[in-house]
């Protein structure tokens, strides 16, 4: 976004705010949904990230790209929310057919209907076993299609730390697959 | 190094990261395949990781955002901005109030202190000034009677305080004057 538009948004100009929200609501919601796995919470997290971005606009360095800055706020918001959650997925959640029940939090998940694909459900369940930061790195790399350098901008981790985290996350998920006999 | 000697290197995280990134050289790729052929653990884990990798390639479906999302977000942002401004102006008012109170109270204290200082000075100096004035007036009235006494006192002081040079000079002058009339006579 242009600096002038950002300045107007910071002053509370409704049109500028609307433009900013419209431009970034989708990528932020996608990121939040992929990280949190729950529609309502993802909406709330994306909204909160956008609001925080507006309020903190004066701290944004205009020399740097805006999208990673706003993605970082959203990613931190999701990491905070994931850390506040109780550990909700255990190996006992495996169904008889080997599929995981996609559980986010203690509330019944209305999004389960959306996840028709069993594989998708399994991937989500595997993702649930990762730490919040590892989950963010996996989502940003695979589903947001960000490069290592872009992930560095968003997470503040070094490229080597990102590579290491990605590898350990994949290995941990692979080991869960093997242990649970989901993959032989 | 033998192929078995490379096992330690192959079991490192760095090797696996490069293998997953398809960043191994053809020679390394050959070593890697040979290693997996004889190391069942690596082969099993590698297959599972490739499986996870394939699963992760396809992003999960994302539901659509509700229609009111933009309007609600703008409203929430506006509200937060207003609240932030209110708090900022409240903090600024509080700061100005505190600074004003501090300056005024400091000024007030300074005035009180100055007044007390002047009072102390006036009360303390009045008797001193009075006695000094009275002494000066008395002296001005009787100065003729006191003058010889004062002069004597001064000479006495000089003689007493500077005995060596003054007494010797005065004696020499007195002796010289006594001789001179005797010689001339
Ligand atoms: Zn091995």
């Amino acid at each position: 976004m242009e600096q002038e538009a950002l300045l107007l948004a910071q002053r509370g100009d409704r049109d500028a705010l609307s433009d900013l929200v419209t431009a970034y609501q989708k990528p932020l919601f996608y990121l939040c949904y992929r990280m949190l796995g729950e529609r309502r919470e993802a909406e709330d997290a994306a909204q909160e990230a956008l609001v925080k971005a507006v309020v903190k606009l004066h701290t944004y360095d205009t020399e740097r790209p805006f999208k990673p800055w706003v993605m970082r706020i959203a990613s931190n918001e999701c990491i905070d929310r994931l850390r506040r959650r109780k550990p909700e997925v255990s190996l006992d959640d495996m169904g008889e057919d080997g599929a995981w029940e996609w559980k986010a939090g203690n509330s019944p998940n209305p999004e389960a209907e959306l996840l028709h694909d069993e594989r998708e459900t399994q991937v989500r369940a595997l993702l649930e076993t990762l730490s919040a930061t590892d989950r963010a790195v996996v989502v940003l790399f695979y589903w947001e299609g960000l490069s290592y350098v872009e992930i560095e901008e968003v997470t503040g981790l070094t490229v080597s730390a990102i590579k290491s985290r990605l590898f350990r996350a994949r290995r941990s998920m692979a080991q869960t697959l093997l242990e649970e006999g989901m993959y032989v | 190094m033998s192929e078995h000697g490379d096992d330690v290197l192959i079991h490192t995280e760095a090797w696996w990261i490069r293998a997953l990134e398809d960043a191994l050289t053809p020679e390394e790729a050959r070593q890697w395949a040979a290693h997996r052929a004889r190391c069942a653990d690596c082969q099993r884990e590698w297959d599972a990781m490739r499986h996870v990798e394939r699963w992760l390639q396809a992003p999960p479906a994302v539901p659509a955002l509700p229609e009111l999302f933009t309007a609600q977000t703008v409203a929430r942002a506006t509200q937060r901005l207003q609240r932030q401004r209110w708090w900022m102006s409240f903090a600024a008012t509080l700061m100005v109030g505190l600074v004003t109170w501090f300056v005024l109270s400091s000024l007030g204290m300074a005035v009180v202190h100055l007044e007390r200082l002047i009072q102390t000075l006036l009360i303390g100096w009045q008797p001193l000034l009075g006695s000094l004035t009275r002494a000066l007036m008395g002296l001005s009235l009787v100065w003729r009677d006191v003058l010889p006494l004062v002069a004597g006192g001064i000479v006495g002081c000089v003689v007493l305080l500077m005995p060596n040079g003054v007494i010797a000079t005065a004696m020499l002058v007195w002796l010289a004057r006594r001789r001179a009339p005797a010689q001339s006579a």
Side-chain angles (χ1 to χ4, degrees), chain A residues 24-50 74-75 77-78 81-82 85 102 104 109-111 114 124, chain B residues 61-66 69 73 76:
Chain A
Y24 295 100
Q25 62 185 15
K26 255 190 175 174
L28 257 57
F29 173 65
Y30 280 26
L31 173 67
C32 294
Y33 183 74
R34 284 162 179 170
M35 276 185 76
L36 299 168
E38 211 188 50
R39 181 187 183 157
R40 203 164 297 172
E41 199 184 3
E43 279 173 17
D44 193 55
Q47 203 168 69
E48 184 59 28
L50 282 161
S75 160
E77 178 67 25
C78 293
R81 283 166 187 255
L82 287 171
R85 271 185 195 172
W102 172 230
N109 183 6
E111 276 66 59
L114 284 163
R124 286 203 170 285
Chain B
V62 178
L65 272 170
F69 185 86
T73 311
R76 198 161 145 182

Side-chain angles (χ1 to χ4, degrees), chain B residues 11 35 39 42:
Chain B
H11 286 155
H35 175 84
C39 181
C42 278

Side-chain angles (χ1 to χ4, degrees), chain A residues 11 25 29 33 39 43-44 47-48 55 119-120 122 124 142-143 148 164 167-168 170-171 174 183, chain B residues 13 16 21 45 47 49 51 53 55-56 59-61 63-66 69-70 73 76 80 84-85:
Chain A
R11 283 180 194 155
Q25 62 185 15
F29 173 65
Y33 183 74
R39 181 187 183 157
E43 279 173 17
D44 193 55
Q47 203 168 69
E48 184 59 28
V55 173
R119 183 195 284 183
E120 212 166 88
Q122 287 174 326
R124 286 203 170 285
Y142 285 102
W143 298 339
Y148 293 131
S164 181
F167 168 70
R168 285 173 196 183
R170 281 181 291 205
R171 191 172 62 181
Y183 169 76
Chain B
E13 188 177 296
W16 279 70
E21 285 179 345
E45 202 166 329
D47 287 342
M49 281 181 84
H51 195 78
E53 189 91 356
W55 275 8
L56 289 170
L65 272 170
F69 185 86
T70 313
T73 311
R76 198 161 145 182
R80 195 77 64 86
Q84 188 194 37
R85 270 189 219 127

Side-chain angles (χ1 to χ4, degrees), chain B residues 95-129:
Chain B
M95 277 299 289
V96 169
L98 279 172
V99 169
T100 311
W101 174 78
F102 180 75
V103 168
L104 285 179
S105 63
S106 303
L107 266 173
M109 291 301 281
V111 167
V112 168
H113 280 301
L114 192 69
E115 204 175 311
R116 274 190 198 157
L117 187 73
I118 292 165
Q119 267 180 358
T120 314
L121 279 175
L122 285 176
I123 293 162
W125 278 94
Q126 246 168 3
L128 193 69
L129 279 170

Side-chain angles (χ1 to χ4, degrees), chain A residues 130-145:
Chain A
L130 301 177
S131 75
T133 309
D134 285 354
R135 201 193 293 204
V137 171
V138 167
V139 168
L140 291 168
F141 183 76
Y142 285 102
W143 298 339
E144 300 300 326

